[in-house]
Amino acid sequence: MRDYRTVADTVAEEIRSGALRPGDRLPTQRAFARRHGIADSTATRVYQELARRGLTVGEVGRGTFVRATPADPAGSAPALTEPADGGRIDLELNYPVAPEQSALLAGSLAGLLRPDALGQALRPIGVSGFRAARESAAETLARGGWRPDPDRILFAGNGRQAISAAVAALVPPGARLGVEELTYPVVKAVAARLRITLVALSMDDEGLVPEAVEEAHARAPLHAVYVQPRLHNPLSLSMPARRVERLAEVLLGLGIPAIEDTIWAFLRDELPPLAAYAPERTVLIDSLSKRVAPGLTLGFTVAPTALTGAVTAALRSGGCTPARFALEAAHHWQQDGTVRALVAAKQREAAVRQGIAARRLAGFAVHGDPRSFHCWWRLPRPWRADTFVAAASRHGIGVVPAAAFTVDPDHSPNAIRLGLATPEPETLSRALNTLAELARSAPEDLADD
């Protein structure tokens, strides 16, 4: 019997030589098996290996295609974490900046720059911070009538570190972590690094389906579930209250802890988190990168008492302790109202940018919460996500394909995520207009026929 990796090497060489071009559709797995004289199960492993190497992408209901853009083959490099090249319009990274942001932050930091205060702020500090910082953090994280207990707050250098520590604390190597079928790319990278198996959980128009957690856990135990109930990235949707309540019931009934990512939730601060419904089963993660600024950030975890020790140990062993200067700055920004002012300004700015997207992309299948900085675009036929990303790049615009968020590479929606936060509004409007014109045209591989 031929080894699946040998067959995958043959296809990979065809892609490298140009015999298979970017965007080409591969045959069905059954037809591929007959052509190469291998078992259907071997063909399945070949296709999985090609996807793992980043050479192909599967699109639901359409088949498997040669990638038009390169991908990280092992999933080890988190997507969406590096600035775009100069000159490109960046709709990939998504860090909102309010017009008055710099002035607000600078004024609040003046007191920290005195020699005596600066000396204190530059000393090392542990993950528990100090009491006043925990009280300020509780005010920063409070929303929808929920306020965390300051004694349950731990600090990390940034939100990604907080996520990584929570996953490491709750899920041992080789175990299973349930995630929404479209999830934050950093979680995929964390799981790969920690040798954790991600289990894709079904979603619908209201977010994660709670019964999917029950079904996955019945097949084999889940050690935890990672979920984004509010302003999901990339789908820009929020679970209604009844769905959050039902998810909490499932988690409590099965005894499964949740890692709740609330990094975008400050834009919908009237909605309480999952942690308000299942506090004894939820490790809440947040940061300052979106609500304040990415360059001087801080990560937060709010852990149940039973899990605090494990999360603390994971933060320390992973080198995820916070910078005291950032902690002192965050305390000052909360105390003098800077955080509240920035949140309000960014909520207004999100509405402006969603308005631009609604006008420029009218008539397309685009979903974006009116107070979100990203939206989800299901592309019109005959466009495929991978080829649309490549075409957008040729126009100097960076967008993110659904494959970056997909847990199962063979089931990637024909969609892209648009980050609306980075460009100036005029630039954003021009870029979206270009993308709309592109979507109305035929892909080059069809136009050349």
Side-chain angles (χ1 to χ4, degrees):
M1 179 180 295
R2 298 176 66 188
D3 184 80
Y4 75 94
R5 286 165 293 197
T6 302
V7 182
D9 289 342
T10 301
V11 180
E13 181 56 35
E14 291 177 354
I15 294 172
R16 280 190 287 270
S17 68
L20 285 173
R21 299 174 55 203
D24 282 354
R25 187 202 301 264
L26 298 187
T28 65
Q29 292 182 19
R30 177 170 294 181
F32 183 90
R34 301 298 175 267
R35 179 181 302 176
H36 290 269
I38 58 178
D40 290 354
S41 59
T42 304
T44 298
R45 297 189 72 182
V46 170
Y47 276 44
Q48 291 172 342
E49 176 66 12
L50 292 171
R52 188 193 70 78
R53 297 183 191 184
L55 298 175
T56 61
V57 60
E59 296 181 7
V60 176
R62 308 195 73 189
T64 300
F65 300 85
V66 178
R67 273 190 178 274
T69 51
D72 172 57
S76 58
L80 318 181
T81 59
E82 296 294 333
D85 295 336
R88 294 179 72 224
I89 299 176
D90 186 359
L91 303 185
E92 298 173 288
L93 280 185
N94 210 24
Y95 288 106
V97 176
E100 60 269 42
Q101 179 167 308
S102 295
L104 283 170
L105 295 176
S108 183
L109 287 179
L112 276 180
L113 300 182
R114 298 193 322 268
D116 58 332
L118 186 60
Q120 177 72 10
L122 295 180
R123 296 176 59 188
I125 198 165
V127 298
S128 297
F130 51 90
R131 180 69 194 183
R134 293 196 300 275
E135 291 285 354
S136 293
E139 292 301 319
T140 297
L141 300 178
R143 57 186 175 88
W146 172 84
R147 182 181 186 273
D149 179 351
D151 290 334
R152 292 171 50 207
I153 295 176
L154 302 169
F155 300 98
N158 55 48
R160 292 190 297 275
Q161 291 181 358
I163 291 171
S164 181
V167 172
L170 300 183
V171 188
R176 289 160 41 99
L177 172 65
V179 297
E180 293 140 321
E181 57 188 334
L182 292 163
T183 194
Y184 181 35
V186 166
V187 174
K188 295 165 62 176
V190 168
R193 177 172 57 82
L194 297 177
R195 303 191 309 280
I196 287 168
T197 299
L198 292 184
V199 179
L201 303 174
S202 299
M203 303 181 72
D204 60 19
D205 291 342
E206 293 187 344
L208 176 64
V209 177
E211 289 70 27
V213 178
E214 295 176 314
E215 293 166 5
H217 191 65
R219 290 193 296 270
L222 298 174
H223 274 71
V225 171
Y226 168 87
V227 62
Q228 304 173 77
R230 309 304 192 191
L231 292 186
H232 179 275
N233 179 20
L235 296 180
S236 187
L237 57 82
S238 297
M239 291 185 186
R242 64 181 181 280
R243 175 64 63 88
V244 179
E245 290 172 358
R246 174 61 183 145
L247 178 59
E249 290 174 0
V250 168
L251 295 171
L252 291 170
L254 297 176
I256 301 173
I259 301 168
E260 180 184 12
D261 185 339
T262 67
I263 287 172
W264 282 110
F266 72 95
L267 294 168
R268 293 295 307 269
D269 54 6
E270 80 281 10
L271 301 177
L274 173 65
Y277 298 86
E280 62 271 54
R281 284 289 169 191
T282 305
V283 178
L284 182 141
I285 304 296
D286 211 322
S287 85
L288 293 184
S289 61
K290 312 298 186 185
R291 66 161 56 77
V292 177
L296 187 62
T297 189
L298 188 69
F300 307 96
T301 70
V302 182
T305 302
L307 299 175
T308 298
V311 175
T312 299
L315 287 167
R316 289 172 176 163
S317 64
C320 301
T321 53
R324 180 157 188 154
F325 187 87
L327 195 60
E328 295 277 6
H331 173 59
H332 280 71
W333 288 331
Q334 178 60 44
Q335 291 297 106
D336 68 7
T338 296
V339 172
R340 289 191 298 276
L342 285 176
V343 166
K346 291 183 180 184
Q347 289 171 342
R348 293 191 298 269
E349 187 68 15
V352 169
R353 289 166 183 265
Q354 284 288 346
I356 293 172
R359 291 190 297 273
R360 292 304 184 190
L361 302 178
F364 292 105
V366 177
H367 174 79
D369 186 290
R371 282 165 60 179
S372 172
F373 276 101
H374 56 272
C375 57
W376 185 245
W377 185 1
R378 294 191 175 274
L379 295 168
R381 295 179 182 273
W383 281 104
R384 299 191 308 274
D386 204 40
T387 51
F388 190 85
V389 170
S393 182
R394 290 193 291 272
H395 285 76
I397 304 169
V399 299
V400 187
F405 304 93
T406 306
V407 178
D408 183 348
D410 292 326
H411 293 83
S412 181
N414 189 41
I416 60 172
R417 192 207 72 172
L418 300 174
L420 308 179
T422 303
E424 292 296 323
E426 297 79 8
T427 304
L428 174 64
S429 180
R430 186 172 67 251
L432 295 179
N433 189 58
T434 298
L435 294 179
E437 292 177 358
L438 185 62
R440 294 186 186 102
S441 67
E444 287 185 3
D445 59 345
L446 297 181
D448 292 341
D449 289 345

